[in-house]
Amino acid sequence: LRSGMNFRILKKLENQRVAFLTMTLLFLVAGILASLSFWFLRENTSEVARFYLGENSKNLAQNLDGELRNVVEKARLAWGYAASKSDAKSDRRDYLHDAMKSIPGIQSVEHFSREGTVNNAKWRSSLYQPFVNEPYRSIDDLDFEFATKGFVEIQTYFDASELPYIRLVVPIKRAKFTTPKEIITVEVSSDWLKPFFKSSSNIFHFLVDQDGRLIAQTDTEHFKLGDNLSHLVVVQQTQESEDSNLQLNYKEMPDSETQLAAFHKIGESGLTIISQVNETSNLILLKKHRGSVMWLGFALMLIAFAACLWIANTQKRMHHAIPTARTADILEFKEPQES
């Protein structure tokens, strides 16, 4: 009986030792994972930052593309509604105004009718609905090459003050496989883009067209709206690369700081979102990720501590379940003498 009790006590001591070793191992694994994560971020700071920039430019491009599609769809529905209500131009103009006035920064909606064949099409304005007192009208580019073939076309133009405007050219089809005989154009100013290009503390976003001219930016003093930025390596890459997105390093000027940059093209519109951050700000990104890694390591340690508490409670219940022996019986393995 005495040897059996000794065996139980030794077993409990062994279980406690295993629990201690398990706790130590869990803490060790958590520390190693946190250290490896921070080492990876430190050794691959540029790659992590460019990936982060790529995701930012992609999300911004997708949001902007989605809103452009919404405007296109709203223009189609508005014209369809106006055309179904009345044949009079004045009535259609009023319907268009009511349907499109909710778009911020809108300059005008215009309806064109096609004259001639598709290969020799000429478009004549048949209805013009301005939304501001004196909107700027660009009348030097009305060929609508892609819209004539049935594709939505996005054009950019600049007024006398070099302020940018975006023109959405929306073909109206009467049947699925026919060529359009009508086109709706929706012109918006740079004010429409302001919600997408709010000021950012670290990352600089800007939008260029297919010619490299600046349409919008988050830092209003970085470049000047309307400037041609084709001399920048990142803009040249947007024009030359067939990829819809890319990450690279470049310098705005030969003696300036290196920029970590990424761009994402908005469909076939010719518009491109570019996101960049300089190396100094990149250290801020590293600190941000380092803080995340530290919290991750802390969480892992809490998990390890909780596991250890569970093991300790289990051992405690085992202690209460097993009868205790006298110290003398544990230390002495001889039979007690009779008095």
Side-chain angles (χ1 to χ4, degrees):
L1 177 62
R2 192 180 299 118
S3 61
M5 295 180 65
N6 292 338
F7 173 78
R8 292 191 184 96
I9 294 174
L10 292 175
K11 184 65 176 179
K12 287 190 294 184
L13 294 175
E14 178 66 19
N15 290 336
Q16 290 176 349
R17 187 173 67 88
V18 170
F20 177 78
L21 292 176
T22 302
M23 178 183 66
T24 304
L25 181 61
L26 289 174
F27 273 96
L28 181 62
V29 169
I32 291 175
L33 289 176
S35 300
L36 288 176
S37 300
F38 180 70
W39 174 84
F40 175 80
L41 290 174
R42 187 186 65 181
E43 296 297 322
N44 300 275
T45 305
S46 298
E47 288 76 7
V48 172
R50 282 196 296 267
F51 175 80
Y52 181 72
L53 290 171
E55 289 298 306
N56 272 264
S57 61
K58 176 183 176 181
N59 292 336
L60 185 55
Q62 289 177 342
N63 292 338
L64 183 54
D65 183 52
E67 286 302 315
L68 288 172
R69 292 176 185 272
N70 288 338
V71 174
V72 168
E73 189 62 25
K74 182 174 288 189
R76 282 180 173 151
L77 294 175
W79 175 251
Y81 178 76
S84 67
K85 288 293 182 180
S86 175
D87 291 331
K89 288 185 178 180
S90 59
D91 292 338
R92 288 189 179 187
R93 186 179 293 112
D94 293 338
Y95 288 128
L96 278 175
H97 183 274
D98 293 339
M100 303 294 291
K101 66 182 180 181
S102 61
I103 301 177
I106 189 171
Q107 298 294 297
S108 67
V109 176
E110 194 162 3
H111 175 263
F112 292 86
S113 298
R114 191 187 77 190
E115 295 180 354
T117 63
V118 175
N119 296 329
N120 192 25
K122 293 183 179 180
W123 295 93
R124 183 183 300 276
S125 176
S126 60
L127 187 149
Y128 177 65
Q129 170 59 63
F131 285 79
V132 294
N133 293 331
E134 296 181 358
Y136 179 80
R137 298 186 68 189
S138 175
I139 58 175
D140 57 348
D141 182 15
L142 297 177
D143 56 349
F144 303 146
E145 176 183 359
F146 294 102
T148 302
K149 299 176 182 179
F151 301 103
V152 174
E153 189 174 350
I154 297 180
Q155 300 175 351
T156 56
Y157 63 92
F158 301 82
D159 64 11
S161 302
E162 295 300 312
L163 292 177
Y165 293 82
I166 294 178
R167 180 193 294 125
L168 302 174
V169 185
V170 186
I172 305 297
K173 290 185 178 183
R174 295 303 180 184
K176 186 174 183 180
F177 297 103
T178 59
T179 55
K181 294 184 178 181
E182 296 175 289
I183 280 178
I184 293 289
T185 63
V186 181
E187 296 181 348
V188 294
S189 68
S190 57
D191 292 338
W192 182 80
L193 296 168
K194 285 183 178 179
F196 300 96
F197 292 89
K198 297 178 181 179
S199 179
S200 177
S201 57
N202 298 322
I203 302 176
F204 174 54
H205 304 284
F206 58 104
L207 176 70
V208 296
D209 63 10
Q210 58 187 359
D211 297 322
R213 299 194 68 176
L214 182 65
I215 306 298
Q217 58 183 346
T218 52
D219 183 358
T220 56
E221 298 182 356
H222 197 104
F223 297 118
K224 182 181 177 182
L225 291 181
D227 281 354
N228 193 318
L229 305 179
S230 297
H231 63 281
L232 298 179
V233 174
V234 65
V235 177
Q236 294 172 5
Q237 286 293 322
T238 66
Q239 297 169 337
E240 298 171 1
S241 175
E242 296 182 356
D243 296 328
S244 61
N245 57 85
L246 197 66
Q247 295 86 38
L248 69 155
N249 295 357
Y250 84 102
K251 291 185 178 182
E252 293 181 357
M253 300 293 290
D255 56 346
S256 62
E257 189 174 1
T258 299
Q259 302 288 329
L260 307 178
F263 69 79
H264 197 93
K265 298 179 181 179
I266 303 176
E268 302 296 331
S269 65
L271 302 177
T272 303
I273 297 287
I274 301 175
S275 303
Q276 68 181 42
V277 62
N278 58 45
E279 289 184 329
T280 302
S281 298
N282 189 34
L283 295 176
I284 298 176
L285 288 176
L286 175 61
K287 291 180 179 178
K288 177 181 177 180
H289 287 287
R290 182 177 63 182
S292 301
V293 172
M294 291 176 64
W295 279 110
L296 175 62
F298 181 69
L300 291 174
M301 291 182 182
L302 284 180
I303 294 173
F305 182 70
C308 293
L309 287 179
W310 178 80
I311 293 174
N313 288 332
T314 301
Q315 296 300 310
K316 186 176 181 180
R317 288 195 299 269
M318 291 178 62
H319 274 285
H320 289 294
I322 301 174
T324 57
R326 294 183 306 164
T327 304
D329 291 338
I330 297 173
L331 297 178
E332 298 180 11
F333 294 93
K334 59 183 181 178
E335 294 291 336
Q337 296 180 358
E338 294 181 359
S339 56

